[in-house]
Amino acid sequence: MAVSCPECGHQYDVTLFQFGQAVTCDCGAVVRFGGAPRPGGSGPDGAIPDMVELPIDGILDLHAFDPADVRELLPEYLNACREKGIFRVRIIHGKGTGEMMKTVHALLVRLAEVESFALAGSREGGTGATIVLLKT
Ligand SMILES: [Zn+2]
């Protein structure tokens, strides 16, 4: 995915593994690579808020993400899981309005690497999470 510097518009290509990090642009502005600040994460001095960490462990928590980011993030995350030999992924999209779930499900039906998916059982988040089985 690409992000652009808010000051000079310089475009940066961002991989999944840089997601949630930040760099200082040539123009001096701080460019943040997606993710969302944790509540209370920003300091009084205007420091960069804490970023969402994104470990590849088969559990993807989308609470902090924007649906627009998820469209690029989700396929990359699932590919990264397959590369690590993880073929069962829990995607936590929350209950809320159901919009994030619809976004996730609409993506999953289009992805060739997805074998099947279903809402999680009550022990794994119920309708707030989806279990994805990836093709081996
Ligand atoms: Zn810049």
Side-chain angles (χ1 to χ4, degrees), residues 4-12 24-31:
S4 48
C5 172
E7 296 298 325
C8 70
H10 184 90
Q11 290 257 332
Y12 292 87
T24 304
C25 181
D26 291 342
C27 74
V30 173
V31 184

Side-chain angles (χ1 to χ4, degrees), residues 1-122:
M1 67 193 84
V3 293
S4 48
C5 172
E7 296 298 325
C8 70
H10 184 90
Q11 290 257 332
Y12 292 87
D13 270 329
V14 182
T15 71
L16 178 64
F17 304 100
Q18 293 169 295
F19 210 80
Q21 297 178 19
V23 295
T24 304
C25 181
D26 291 342
C27 74
V30 173
V31 184
R32 194 161 64 80
F33 291 165
R38 294 195 188 97
S42 68
D45 55 354
I48 313 168
D50 287 344
M51 297 300 156
V52 174
E53 292 168 20
L54 199 60
I56 307 299
D57 57 3
I59 300 172
L60 179 59
D61 187 341
L62 295 175
H63 277 113
F65 291 98
D66 192 274
D69 288 332
V70 169
R71 287 185 182 89
E72 296 193 59
L73 172 71
L74 185 60
E76 285 192 55
Y77 187 84
L78 294 178
N79 273 325
C81 285
R82 286 180 83 207
E83 280 168 20
K84 291 191 77 168
I86 299 169
F87 297 104
R88 183 182 190 278
V89 179
R90 180 153 59 109
I91 300 170
I92 301 165
H93 40 64
K95 290 169 187 163
T97 62
E99 282 306 307
M100 185 64 98
M101 183 194 79
K102 284 182 205 162
T103 298
V104 167
H105 287 188
L107 283 164
L108 291 174
V109 294
R110 297 210 309 262
L111 295 175
E113 59 266 42
V114 172
E115 179 78 50
S116 65
F117 64 90
L119 285 174
S122 56

